């Protein structure tokens, strides 16, 4: 049976490895609710299978692990006043927390594009492998959204203001920068993945996380910092503020080529999305657990799903592809505390709960 005939998710055991392969290569393996539920079922199965010593997460095709969630489906549900957002994110976020605590080594192969929901599947793994082809990003602010799937937790734990920079600009990390930003653990050459993958399927039963780390490190390049890491002192100075207005002012004051290019990038993003993101990132710094951040993200995501900015951002980027969204409000100065409050309000019986 060919991969195309096996559905959107391929789950099988190969030797000692429980393999989960996202199988929508034409959509760069964008996640649907059904795929998320299928991954949960696979994790159930592999957790209790004594013959499975390690989990391997990978994406079909050459373009990447996962380009994020199925945004078009969410956009259609939002337009119709549906509840796909609440159901999809509830399932996804609970699974993100589960991955972080999974009892067996969970190896995520983060080759090619890894964005949004793809980060949720891989960034909380016990073993996170990036390559010379990795392009990792949390570009949600460009959709009137914010870095979710535990993204606020991960970004808030990056060195200095690197996470603030990546979260607000949606800029792409290469493999070494992903390691520097604490989104990944090791860089390998993509050409070496088949050999490493084969070795992972042969690990002994009862292999520990340390055993798997040693195996991966035998293939790693040792790179731990890319081009953005080199700009960290500048980024720390420009993004070390708790208000978007102050970040904009710092970028204008600096006036360097990097600052002006960054300023241009930010002016294209949703003002409301940026303000929500910055507040979530600052709150995440004092969070003691990933779950605490996911609860907060779920409240905000449900509010985003009802917002014009989300529908407009997806329209401009994915539906009409004119790259010309009309944000509401159009400037960060116009985002009022009253607009912000619903994104952070408790939601009673609908709060995100973990098993």
């Amino acid at each position: 049976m060919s991969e195309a005939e096996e559905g959107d998710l391929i789950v099988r055991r190969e030797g000692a490895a429980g393999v989960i392969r996202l199988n929508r290569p034409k959509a760069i393996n964008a996640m649907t609710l059904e795929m998320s539920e299928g991954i949960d079922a696979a994790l159930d199965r592999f957790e209790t299978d004594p013959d499975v010593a390690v989990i391997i997460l990978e994406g079909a095709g050459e373009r990447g692990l996962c380009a994020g969630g199925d945004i078009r489906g969410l956009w259609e549900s939002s337009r119709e006043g549906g509840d796909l957002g609440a159901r999809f994110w509830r399932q996804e976020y609970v699974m993100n927390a589960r991955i972080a605590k999974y009892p067996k080594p969970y190896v995520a192969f983060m080759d090619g594009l890894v964005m949004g929901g793809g980060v949720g599947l891989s960034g909380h793994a016990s073993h996170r492998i990036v390559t010379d082809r990795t392009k990792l990003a949390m570009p949600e602010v460009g959709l009137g959204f914010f870095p979710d799937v535990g993204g606020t937790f991960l970004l808030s734990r990056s060195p200095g203001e690197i996470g603030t920079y990546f979260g607000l600009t949606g800029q792409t990390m290469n493999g070494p920068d992903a390691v520097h930003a604490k989104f990944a653990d090791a860089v390998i050459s993509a050409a070496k993945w088949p050999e490493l993958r084969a070795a992972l399927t042969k690990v002994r039963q009862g292999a520990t996380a340390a055993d798997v780390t040693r195996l991966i490190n035998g293939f790693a390049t040792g790179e731990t910092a890319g081009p953005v890491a080199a700009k960290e002192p500048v980024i720390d100075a420009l993004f070390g503020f708790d208000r978007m207005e102050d970040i904009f002012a710092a970028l204008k004051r600096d006036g360097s080529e990097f600052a002006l290019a960054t300023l241009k990038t930010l002016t294209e993003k949703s003002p409301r999305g940026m303000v929500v993101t910055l507040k979530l990132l600052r709150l995440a710094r004092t969070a003691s657990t990933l779950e605490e951040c996911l609860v907060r993200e779920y409240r905000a995501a449900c509010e985003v799903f009802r917002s014009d900015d989300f529908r407009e951002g997806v329209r401009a980027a994915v539906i009409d592809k004119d790259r010309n969204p009309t944000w509401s409000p159009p400037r960060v100065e116009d985002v009022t505390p009253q607009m912000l409050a619903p994104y952070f309000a408790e939601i009673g019986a609908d709060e995100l709960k973990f098993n």
Side-chain angles (χ1 to χ4, degrees), residues 146 152 276-284 296-297 300 344:
F146 61 88
T152 61
V276 169
T277 295
L278 185 58
K279 183 168 182 179
L280 285 169
L281 289 174
R282 294 303 184 247
L283 289 169
R296 214 177 272 127
E297 289 176 11
F344 297 89

Side-chain angles (χ1 to χ4, degrees), residues 126-162:
S126 61
H127 298 78
R128 305 167 299 176
I129 301 171
V130 285
T131 76
D132 47 325
R133 303 190 305 200
T134 294
K135 294 180 179 177
L136 189 153
M138 300 292 287
E140 291 83 355
V141 178
L143 299 174
F145 201 56
F146 61 88
D148 67 329
V149 295
T152 61
F153 180 83
L154 292 168
L155 290 163
S156 69
R157 277 143 183 82
S158 297
E161 299 296 340
I162 288 282

Side-chain angles (χ1 to χ4, degrees), residues 70-152:
D70 183 11
I71 292 294
R72 186 179 289 267
L74 289 165
W75 178 77
E76 289 170 354
S77 179
S78 177
R79 286 181 76 207
E80 295 162 4
D83 66 347
L84 179 60
R87 291 188 295 120
F88 177 73
W89 289 316
R90 182 179 296 277
Q91 160 64 32
E92 188 177 29
Y93 295 2
V94 171
M95 181 177 63
N96 298 149
R98 179 184 188 178
I99 288 168
K101 291 184 172 178
Y102 200 68
K104 295 181 179 181
Y106 178 118
V107 179
F109 180 53
M110 303 162 72
D111 189 37
L113 278 180
V114 185
M115 300 168 72
V119 174
L121 292 175
S122 58
H124 307 297
S126 61
H127 298 78
R128 305 167 299 176
I129 301 171
V130 285
T131 76
D132 47 325
R133 303 190 305 200
T134 294
K135 294 180 179 177
L136 189 153
M138 300 292 287
E140 291 83 355
V141 178
L143 299 174
F145 201 56
F146 61 88
D148 67 329
V149 295
T152 61

